Amino acid sequence: MNNPTLLSGIQPSGKLMIGNYLGVVKQWVTMQDEYNCLFPLVDLHAITVRQDPKLLRQRSYEFLSLYIACGLNPKKSTIFVQSHVPQHAQFSWILNCFTYMGELNRMTQFKDKSQKHASNINAGLYSYPVLMAADILLYQSDLVPVGEDQKQHLELCRNLAQRLNHEYATEEKPLLKMPDPYIPPKTSGGRIMALQDPTVKMSKSDTNEQNVIFLLDDPKTIEKKIKRCVTDSGSEITYDEKTKPGIANLLTIYSLITQQNIDEIVQSYQGKGYGYLKVDLAEALIEHLRPLQEKQKQLISDKAELDKILTRGAKAAQELAQKTLDTIHQKIGFI
Ligand code: ATP
Ligand code: LTN
């Protein structure tokens, strides 16, 4: 039980897609044995953008079943729903009182999402990164694997930990652990790009589904999406993010799925056009996802078992979270 703690969350704000999978979920699976892992489904974060209640409920189960199908083991790792653990919202309020508006004004995700949801720029969207810091700090997390887009949020989280520690921690009684981000390099999945526009990241809530391969896409859909995806001028297959971002993205995905290195792949396509790479990539994706999809289908049919996993997860998470919250309350002066 002396393993370090790892925490990472995904919002059930859409269907799980290969950016989430290659960027984080696959990393989690390999880290399960060395860390005490916590994987919240961050539904409180998801509602910073309006969600259809029925879909949100359905997706939360879909996420859980996919997590397990991808290889997360609920006996080893604590998988839970964020809203089942009220300590997240409680701690988030406290952290809000230690966060400066200037800090939140700088957050690029807030700026992006405000543009996308101009008619609903709510206070939750603004303080989203504070809730994320609460998720992480409540469990005294050592490591937080995330995609590159979350780097800025992790920096804020570390600043908040330092601010509270500076104010309240003593040598005999440390308060909050300083978490380290783990961001895979781009060629290891840290930033999978949108299929129709390789200059922006793939995102599960993208309104254009042609940009995204979802883990539960059927073979025909995968084939079509890959076939139609935007490539670059020229016809030679080389890895160059600047001049050939579309091909670079396809090569990255292919390399991660087949576990071949990018140079080898490039070598094997010498003299062949983009079409060949697309056909092979589509096939590799379909075959990679097939067993995962079959497993997910079985798991989702047993809601009672999924509920049991979530109940166990919430209980374990609450116990840990309350310990940190008790200390914080005491330090702040709550009676
Ligand atoms: P939304 O579209 O609803 O904002 P999202 O698809 O961007 O969602 P999140 O739930 O915000 O996904 O992110 C979950 C995790 O997946 C985060 O660690 C994030 O960094 C990572 N992630 C998201 N998109 C990508 C991507 N394109 N490439 C690599 N990692 C990603
Ligand atoms: N903000 C993250 C999701 C998230 C998260 C977390 C990630 C919420 N809480 C805690 C790591 C740790 C995102 O990807 N949009």
Side-chain angles (χ1 to χ4, degrees):
M1 276 313 272
N2 278 336
N3 286 344
T5 297
L6 178 155
L7 181 139
S8 191
I10 305 186
Q11 310 173 73
S13 53
K15 296 175 285 186
L16 207 64
M17 50 90 185
I18 58 165
N20 307 127
Y21 173 65
L22 299 173
V24 285
V25 179
K26 261 184 100 192
Q27 326 276 343
W28 300 349
V29 172
T30 61
M31 289 165 149
Q32 270 183 119
D33 292 324
E34 295 149 57
Y35 290 85
N36 291 319
C37 292
L38 294 131
F39 300 118
L41 299 173
V42 291
D43 54 352
L44 298 175
H45 279 103
I47 63 159
T48 54
V49 169
R50 203 66 76 232
Q51 302 291 332
D52 173 335
K54 203 169 147 217
L55 264 183
L56 181 59
R57 207 165 287 131
Q58 194 181 310
R59 279 176 186 152
S60 301
Y61 283 115
E62 192 174 287
F63 262 62
L64 174 62
S65 56
L66 272 172
Y67 275 10
I68 301 170
C70 289
L72 294 186
N73 180 350
K75 294 215 167 87
K76 276 191 206 158
S77 301
T78 305
I79 308 176
F80 64 103
V81 174
Q82 188 188 31
S83 65
H84 292 178
V85 182
Q87 286 85 354
H88 290 244
Q90 287 174 278
F91 190 32
S92 180
W93 175 258
I94 294 171
L95 289 179
N96 264 313
C97 301
F98 287 83
T99 309
Y100 304 117
M101 291 184 58
E103 290 177 304
L104 295 181
N105 288 338
R106 284 199 289 276
M107 295 290 141
T108 56
Q109 184 178 295
F110 173 68
K111 290 181 200 164
D112 290 348
K113 295 248 159 163
S114 304
Q115 263 179 5
K116 279 194 193 140
H117 306 278
S119 61
N120 181 22
I121 306 177
N122 60 71
L125 193 62
Y126 187 61
S127 64
Y128 176 115
V130 181
L131 177 59
M132 177 165 163
D135 298 342
I136 296 166
L137 300 177
L138 262 182
Y139 300 96
Q140 309 287 349
S141 308
D142 296 277
L143 196 71
V144 185
V146 283
E148 203 184 79
D149 59 306
Q150 295 303 307
K151 199 170 166 200
Q152 204 183 22
H153 289 169
L154 253 301
E155 275 159 18
L156 175 74
C157 173
R158 287 170 59 88
N159 287 341
L160 286 174
Q162 197 184 27
R163 196 166 300 155
L164 266 82
N165 283 340
H166 182 73
E167 184 97 13
Y168 300 116
T170 56
E171 225 158 86
E172 313 81 68
K173 202 143 188 195
L175 194 63
L176 298 169
K177 192 66 108 18
M178 188 62 74
D180 283 318
Y182 171 71
I183 301 176
K186 202 165 173 188
T187 48
S188 306
R191 195 167 166 84
I192 301 294
M193 310 309 277
L195 297 179
Q196 296 294 323
D197 180 1
T199 62
V200 300
K201 86 169 188 87
M202 189 180 281
S203 175
K204 74 172 113 60
S205 62
D206 198 317
T207 46
N208 179 4
E209 293 210 341
Q210 295 304 314
N211 268 329
V212 190
I213 305 271
F214 299 105
L215 296 192
L216 294 180
D217 272 349
D218 60 54
K220 278 240 147 55
T221 310
I222 295 177
E223 230 173 67
K224 268 194 215 148
K225 285 181 179 173
I226 297 288
K227 203 169 170 188
R228 288 184 196 154
C229 76
V230 165
T231 41
D232 317 290
S233 55
S235 61
E236 199 194 340
I237 296 179
T238 50
Y239 185 93
D240 186 338
E241 264 180 53
K242 286 219 169 68
T243 60
K244 290 181 182 258
I247 288 298
N249 193 37
L250 297 188
L251 285 168
T252 302
I253 300 172
Y254 195 43
S255 146
L256 292 170
I257 292 288
T258 60
Q259 293 188 335
Q260 265 176 283
N261 88 37
I262 292 185
D263 291 340
E264 277 169 28
I265 302 172
V266 168
Q267 276 295 325
S268 69
Y269 282 96
Q270 273 203 349
K272 292 187 186 166
Y274 296 157
Y276 288 90
L277 176 64
K278 285 186 172 181
V279 169
D280 293 348
L281 172 59
E283 193 183 310
L285 271 168
I286 292 167
E287 289 316 316
H288 186 88
L289 294 177
R290 195 188 301 281
L292 205 150
Q293 294 180 348
E294 280 164 10
K295 183 126 195 258
Q296 189 273 343
K297 215 165 159 192
Q298 284 171 6
L299 291 161
I300 198 80
S301 66
D302 191 353
K303 285 259 165 62
E305 181 56 29
L306 296 179
D307 277 327
K308 256 194 231 159
I309 292 170
L310 292 181
T311 307
R312 238 189 298 130
K315 189 165 173 280
Q318 281 174 20
E319 267 170 32
L320 290 171
Q322 193 57 43
K323 278 192 198 150
T324 304
L325 198 59
D326 281 344
T327 315
I328 299 274
H329 280 190
Q330 189 257 332
K331 292 281 188 185
I332 284 181
F334 292 168
I335 59 170

